[in-house]
Amino acid sequence: MSKFLALLFRNRLAALGGVVIAVIFVLALITPLLPLQSPDDTDTAHRFLLPFSGGHLLGTDQLGRDLLSRLLWGTRLSLAVGIAAALAAGFVGSAVGIVAGYFGGRTDNVIMRGVDMLMAFPYILLALAIVAALGPGLMNALIAVAAVNVPFFARNIRGITVGLAGREFVDAARLSGKGHIRILLTELLPNVLPVIVVAMSTTVGWMILETAGLSFLGLGAQPPQADLGGMLGEARSAMISSPHTSVVPGVMIFLIVMSINLLGDGVRDALDPRLRSGALSRPKPATDVRRAGPVPEATGALLEVQALETQFHVGRRIYRAVNGVSLAVRPGECLGVIGESGSGKSVTALSVMGLVASPPGVITGGAVRYKGDDLVGAPYGKLRSLRGDRVAYIFQDPLSTLHPLYRIGDQLAEAITAHHGVGGREARQRALKLLRDVRIPNPESRIDNYPHEMSGGMRQRVGIAMALANDPDVIIADEPTTALDVTVQAQILSLLDDLRRDRGLAIVFITHDFGVVGQLCDRVAVMYAGQIVEEGPTQAILDAPAHPYTARLIACVPELGGGRRALAAIPGLPPSVDDLPPGCAFAPRCARAQEGCTAAPIDMREGAVAGTPGRAVRCINPEEAIA
Amino acid sequence: MGRYILRRLISAIPVLLGITVIVFLIMAMIPGNPAQAILGAYATPDNVARINKSLGLDKPLWDRYFIWLWNMLHGDFGRSYSLNRPVIDEVMDRLSATAILAGVSWVVASLLGILAGVISAARQYGLADKLITFVVLIGISIPSFFLGMMMILFFAVRLQWLPASGMYEIYGGGGLGDLARHITMPAIALSVVATGVIARLSRSAMLEVLRQDYIRTARAKGVNERRVIMGHALRAAMVSVIPVLGLQAGFVLSGAVYIEIVFQWPGIGQMLVNAILQRDILLVQGGVVIVAALYVIFNILVDVAQSLLDPRIKT
């Protein structure tokens, strides 16, 4: 609770709203104690006095009554009526909702149909009908406003009760022989009460406004009694000659409603944990860059990642997701990047074209070069012109990565028209050809499908077709087969392999599966906790892993047939990347760890392992000697 | 699509019947002699006898409902005693005025609200976002009737730009220009709250959508940012915005009652308030049923629009 209040008051606007409404409340409470004139004392000799004149702080109204006094008494009345309406609506609505949600079945059906019908009215029509039947008057206006809001409570509380009614503690109460009424009152009510209170506090402003509105129309408070709406209604006839009589009650309604809105927003934000973590911020078109330190020189590879550092800044915490990663690919080459979830492999891949969500992502160091040009910090226009044209992505889980509301043909055509000024018909023809290239059967009929109308394997083919749309030089495939079953996975891998050979594509293949790497990749880089710990030709690493982590990772892959090797899970969990040790991050889980492993940063050592050159390892006590 | 619309229309029949039941039950709450209450000051013995006969007031509640429903289905909503003319004629005369006012306000609120929400989301935490959020907060907190009065004071009295009232006949002599001059202020006053609500919702819907994987896909394809926002993101966000547009139509219609009083707009709201003050029960009853029924049908159109946008809805 205190944490909730702290959150609430950290939100300055909510705090402001809270203070304003509290002041108004206190004023309303102590109004009878204040040295005010009676709100009904008329003095026709001093009508429409302006504020600050004749001993009237806010002036007088059309009958010479003191406006300040009428304002405070009117506020008191408006607040009382609004709160009473909220309590009444909350009570009746919650009772209806709890009963419907608890009993379910036909009871629920009948009640909720009725609620739906009440909600089919524009709210004021219902309120007007009730006032018409009961006759104008403050009490009747209150009843009307409360009645109109009953469905809102009934619906919300029913939803929560339905969730609770199936829970164990309700079953337990039922088995212990408690009656329905006792279960409703002692088991369910305490659990839904907080929701009822929050709903009431957020709707109270709304109810004050509605009753004020009815009074304004002359259907609520009747003269000489006046709530704020009634004051405004009476002042309307003199609005042009004496505007202050309208402004005074109008501003008060505005202040009350606004402060309750501010407070309500604050309550909602404090209760919604997603907003707390700041997760609701949207990613910018390109990742933020705040690069410190030197920019490495170009080396001449087609695509190279050099000492890249990408971090996530969440509150005061810094997560070093990518911590000095260097990679390079040549045309026609397939590079595998492998590691557990959270090792930073996907973030590395997304950093290449500035697609890491920002906030919270920031690229803080290193370079990404395409044909020698540094893309880190490049203008958005340059990044955009390369994205999907020269460097294309294939993502995991094509159900969420394809737009659900566009036909796949249009999504494919858009990949082309985003970079080339071709007409609609031409783009569609090319889209058809792409679908054929990725071996989708009946492309003529498939092209007008929506993603949800296709199978997972077909969707992934569409994802690949989209990546191929502009005949790119590099494809970055981020776990493209993880969501698929093995037969489809094998088809997709052989498809990618063919494309690479036919078109001379460079592929960066991100995966956590050594089996997949062995099938497709020429070279492999193993990532752990944001760093590359081993790199080299795929077969050489599979035959003789040098880093203990690589060895453990290979041991995790089940073997078909023989099964001579024991399956071994890696003990422990990957470290959290906001609190890394200075040396090897794998040391705590490593059987070969020794003193000095965590003392200082360990460099990559290049050389030959088990007779194969071109290997590199970040380990001071490797499984195999490095020469 | 045709079948979907038909199915939705059929499913509206129970809702429409429910509306008549609710209105009937509310009117049955009237204390005392119903004929007396319905006629009020016009309760001559003659009139009482006539209304007792036409509404079957001597019969049980159940029969009375069916007599009422039967009459309504034949276009007979009874007779307004304060105006001395059939209810249906009066409602039809005033319906277009309310429809034009509420319709214009709703369209303005929808367009402006969505635009503001999109800008706000695209520039989250930027200057435009803060400015829009602030204006929206004020907008949704200011009572529309107070705003209307202040607008009259400022634009009609002080600056004398626009007329404060005087819209007596919608299809009167003035033509479209006259209508435009008269509708500007009431339409703005009426649309402010709805604009604010729609802007808030559009903003959060856009923020939610912009975090989705398919937006990253669009960016990875090299689609330019304008199209990412106005195409990919907005289209997906509309799926959650459209139902709210339907709800807001109800709020605009409700707010129209206040605005019609403030600007003396010759619509249904003004008619209903006068009818209540005159205790002209049949006029209230007929007006409420007709407007509520039209609102239900309007919401079916909103559902149809939703199904056109979202192919995942089974049609």
Side-chain angles (χ1 to χ4, degrees):
Chain A
M1 188 67 199
S2 62
K3 197 178 165 202
F4 166 74
L5 284 178
L7 271 167
L8 186 59
F9 277 86
R10 208 168 60 195
N11 182 338
R12 260 182 244 148
L13 281 174
L16 178 71
V19 169
V20 172
I21 196 68
V23 168
I24 294 175
F25 250 97
V26 169
L27 278 177
L29 278 178
I30 62 168
T31 298
L33 307 175
L34 295 177
L36 294 167
Q37 299 178 19
S38 158
D40 299 329
D41 271 356
T42 56
D43 177 7
T44 40
H46 297 99
R47 300 167 62 216
F48 296 124
L49 285 184
L50 289 174
F52 309 110
S53 57
H56 299 283
L57 200 57
L58 292 178
T60 59
D61 72 356
Q62 73 277 12
L63 295 175
R65 296 173 293 194
D66 181 54
L67 263 182
L68 178 64
S69 167
R70 284 186 74 72
L71 178 72
L72 289 176
W73 283 97
T75 304
R76 196 174 148 87
L77 193 59
S78 274
L79 287 176
V81 170
I83 291 167
L87 283 174
F91 180 78
V92 177
S94 306
V96 169
I98 289 184
V99 167
Y102 173 71
F103 287 103
R106 186 172 292 173
T107 319
D108 183 32
N109 227 323
V110 170
I111 292 180
M112 291 324 286
R113 277 293 123 76
V115 166
D116 285 346
M117 279 165 192
L118 284 175
M119 285 187 131
F121 284 89
Y123 78 88
I124 203 158
L125 286 184
L126 208 52
L128 287 181
I130 294 172
V131 173
L134 301 177
L138 191 56
M139 197 59 206
N140 294 340
L142 191 160
I143 292 171
V145 169
V148 168
N149 284 287
V150 162
F152 166 79
F153 283 94
R155 212 180 237 195
N156 279 355
I157 301 303
R158 173 195 170 267
I160 290 157
T161 312
V162 166
L164 290 171
R167 295 265 289 276
E168 300 80 3
F169 67 92
V170 176
D171 289 339
R174 209 173 283 148
L175 288 173
S176 74
K178 283 191 182 177
H180 288 316
I181 294 181
R182 273 192 67 195
I183 294 176
L184 283 177
L185 291 180
T186 61
E187 303 292 335
L188 286 174
L189 186 62
N191 282 293
V192 293
L193 201 57
V195 184
I196 300 176
V197 171
V198 169
M200 271 202 261
S201 61
T202 49
T203 47
V204 102
W206 180 229
M207 307 228 194
I208 290 173
L209 193 56
E210 282 173 36
T211 34
L214 288 178
S215 291
F216 173 79
L217 296 175
L219 306 177
Q222 300 296 310
Q225 186 192 40
D227 64 353
L228 294 171
M231 285 177 73
L232 199 54
E234 282 179 37
R236 200 166 68 85
S237 51
M239 178 180 74
I240 292 168
S241 54
S242 305
H244 70 279
T245 52
S246 307
V247 171
V248 165
V251 167
M252 184 54 111
I253 302 178
F254 170 68
L255 279 180
I256 292 174
V257 175
M258 182 159 82
S259 49
I260 292 179
N261 279 342
L262 282 173
L263 195 60
D265 290 351
V267 168
R268 211 192 43 216
D269 290 359
L271 289 178
D272 191 338
R274 282 193 316 170
L275 289 168
R276 248 183 249 178
S277 63
L280 255 190
S281 57
R282 57 90 185 82
K284 294 181 192 168
T287 311
D288 284 340
V289 175
R290 286 198 286 276
R291 188 161 55 173
V295 177
E297 292 294 316
T299 60
L302 176 62
L303 179 78
E304 51 190 335
V305 172
Q306 300 168 302
L308 181 74
E309 290 178 27
T310 304
Q311 307 179 340
F312 293 103
H313 293 190
V314 180
R316 275 185 216 143
R317 295 209 138 152
I318 293 178
Y319 295 85
R320 297 170 203 281
V322 179
N323 205 357
V325 166
S326 300
L327 298 166
V329 273
R330 295 185 308 271
E333 184 185 40
C334 178
L335 169 70
V337 178
I338 192 166
E340 289 171 273
S341 324
S343 60
K345 54 193 192 307
S346 289
V347 180
T348 306
L350 292 173
S351 298
V352 170
M353 284 286 129
L355 289 170
V356 177
S358 225
V362 187
I363 296 177
T364 52
V368 173
R369 293 184 186 277
Y370 169 76
K371 290 187 173 166
D373 288 347
D374 188 6
L375 303 179
V376 171
Y380 167 74
K382 165 145 194 181
L383 272 181
R384 190 197 72 76
S385 70
L386 288 176
R387 283 176 180 177
D389 189 41
R390 299 295 92 219
V391 180
Y393 281 86
I394 305 170
F395 294 108
Q396 189 186 344
D397 186 12
L399 184 58
S400 67
T401 53
L402 291 176
H403 198 295
L405 306 182
Y406 287 110
R407 297 176 197 277
I408 57 146
D410 295 339
Q411 301 195 44
L412 285 170
E414 190 185 30
I416 301 164
T417 53
H419 298 286
H420 304 282
V422 299
R425 186 172 300 174
E426 164 81 14
R428 189 180 166 87
Q429 284 310 313
R430 286 210 214 167
L432 262 180
K433 182 171 176 308
L434 286 167
L435 290 178
R436 252 180 240 118
D437 287 351
V438 295
R439 297 178 210 140
I440 284 184
N442 301 323
E444 287 81 5
S445 68
R446 284 301 194 172
I447 192 167
D448 287 324
N449 276 14
Y450 289 99
H452 73 277
E453 294 168 334
M454 306 182 102
S455 68
M458 287 296 140
R459 280 196 292 263
Q460 193 55 278
R461 284 163 199 264
V462 173
I464 295 172
M466 205 141 79
L468 295 172
N470 297 305
D471 215 347
D473 299 327
V474 184
I475 282 189
I476 298 175
D478 187 0
E479 307 213 29
T481 58
T482 306
L484 305 176
D485 65 59
V486 275
T487 50
V488 184
Q489 177 173 326
Q491 293 169 6
I492 299 278
L493 289 179
S494 78
L495 174 66
L496 277 174
D497 205 33
D498 293 351
L499 291 168
R500 166 168 77 114
R501 289 180 206 291
D502 298 348
R503 305 193 181 196
L505 264 175
I507 298 181
V508 178
F509 198 94
I510 317 277
T511 181
H512 60 257
D513 185 346
F514 251 115
V516 172
V517 168
Q519 267 179 287
L520 189 65
C521 300
D522 307 306
R523 282 190 307 126
V524 61
V526 182
M527 277 191 79
Y528 189 78
Q531 288 191 316
I532 289 179
V533 292
E534 177 160 11
E535 193 186 344
T538 308
Q539 202 52 49
I541 287 187
L542 281 173
D543 292 342
H547 197 286
Y549 175 64
T550 315
R552 300 304 293 257
L553 212 53
I554 293 172
C556 287
V557 182
E559 230 179 340
L560 280 182
R564 270 159 291 137
R565 197 182 67 215
L567 260 182
I570 306 176
L573 289 169
S576 174
V577 288
D578 62 333
D579 185 22
L580 289 174
C584 177
F586 185 62
R589 301 167 76 187
C590 182
R592 299 176 63 85
Q594 56 187 38
E595 255 179 83
C597 273
T598 52
I602 298 165
D603 288 333
M604 283 292 256
R605 280 202 290 159
E606 290 176 29
V609 175
T612 319
R615 297 191 49 176
V617 183
R618 195 186 294 275
C619 185
I620 54 174
N621 185 21
E623 305 261 352
E624 303 270 345
I626 304 164
Chain B
M1 183 49 61
R3 283 188 53 194
Y4 174 74
I5 296 175
L6 191 69
R7 222 171 50 227
R8 289 293 290 113
L9 282 174
I10 291 171
S11 73
I13 291 174
V15 180
L16 292 172
L17 281 176
I19 281 174
T20 61
V21 171
I22 289 168
V23 172
F24 180 77
L25 288 178
I26 289 173
M27 291 308 164
M29 293 191 307
I30 295 173
N33 179 351
Q36 199 81 40
I38 286 171
L39 291 170
Y42 308 92
T44 61
D46 245 16
N47 278 342
V48 170
R50 194 156 45 145
I51 207 164
N52 270 337
K53 184 158 171 289
S54 71
L55 300 179
L57 287 173
D58 42 353
K59 299 204 175 80
L61 206 60
W62 197 240
D63 289 343
R64 266 161 58 196
Y65 171 70
F66 283 108
I67 292 173
W68 181 60
L69 188 64
W70 186 250
N71 287 343
M72 275 198 302
L73 290 176
H74 290 79
D76 176 8
F77 287 78
R79 215 176 157 76
S80 156
Y81 283 87
S82 64
L83 301 169
N84 195 24
R85 67 185 297 212
V87 165
I88 185 78
D89 293 355
E90 178 69 10
V91 171
M92 285 306 155
D93 278 356
R94 287 174 169 265
L95 205 52
S96 57
T98 299
I100 288 173
L101 176 60
V104 167
S105 304
W106 182 73
V107 170
V108 168
S110 301
L111 294 179
L112 268 184
I114 291 170
L115 186 68
V118 168
I119 294 174
S120 212
R123 302 257 179 277
Q124 192 189 17
Y125 304 134
L127 186 66
D129 182 28
K130 282 178 183 153
L131 207 69
I132 288 172
T133 307
F134 180 71
V135 172
V136 160
L137 175 71
I138 304 233
I140 60 171
S141 302
I142 197 160
S144 60
F145 42 92
F146 178 54
L147 178 65
M149 287 167 67
M150 292 303 109
M151 285 177 75
I152 289 179
L153 214 51
F154 195 71
F155 295 107
V157 178
R158 181 74 50 89
L159 298 175
Q160 308 214 329
W161 282 356
L162 291 162
S165 64
M167 194 71 214
Y168 298 118
E169 291 211 19
I170 287 294
Y171 300 117
L176 214 56
D178 187 55
L179 176 64
R181 259 164 34 84
H182 280 92
I183 207 172
T184 304
M185 274 208 292
I188 291 175
L190 181 51
S191 59
V192 163
V193 176
T195 308
V197 175
I198 293 169
R200 279 188 150 198
L201 186 98
S202 307
R203 178 180 186 269
S204 62
M206 283 294 285
L207 288 178
E208 186 67 39
V209 164
L210 281 169
R211 299 187 303 131
Q212 299 297 318
D213 288 345
Y214 51 79
I215 297 299
R216 188 185 62 197
T217 307
R219 285 173 170 163
K221 279 200 291 194
V223 176
N224 68 46
E225 192 59 16
R226 177 182 297 261
R227 224 186 107 69
V228 169
I229 301 280
M230 299 308 290
H232 293 246
L234 180 57
R235 183 157 184 169
M238 284 306 285
V239 170
S240 44
V241 172
I242 283 186
V244 173
L245 296 185
L247 276 181
Q248 283 304 311
F251 284 91
V252 168
L253 212 50
S254 295
V257 174
Y258 303 121
I259 293 300
E260 285 179 8
I261 296 287
V262 171
F263 290 93
Q264 293 171 28
W265 191 262
I268 294 270
Q270 201 189 38
M271 177 198 87
L272 285 175
V273 172
N274 289 337
I276 293 172
L277 294 172
Q278 307 262 357
R279 310 284 295 140
D280 193 342
I281 302 292
L282 290 182
L283 189 54
V284 177
Q285 203 177 22
V288 168
V289 168
I290 292 171
V291 176
L294 289 176
Y295 176 61
V296 168
I297 291 169
F298 180 81
N299 265 305
I300 291 177
L301 294 181
V302 172
D303 283 352
V304 171
Q306 178 83 330
S307 75
L308 287 176
L309 176 78
D310 190 346
R312 291 167 300 182
I313 294 176
K314 284 260 180 299
T315 52

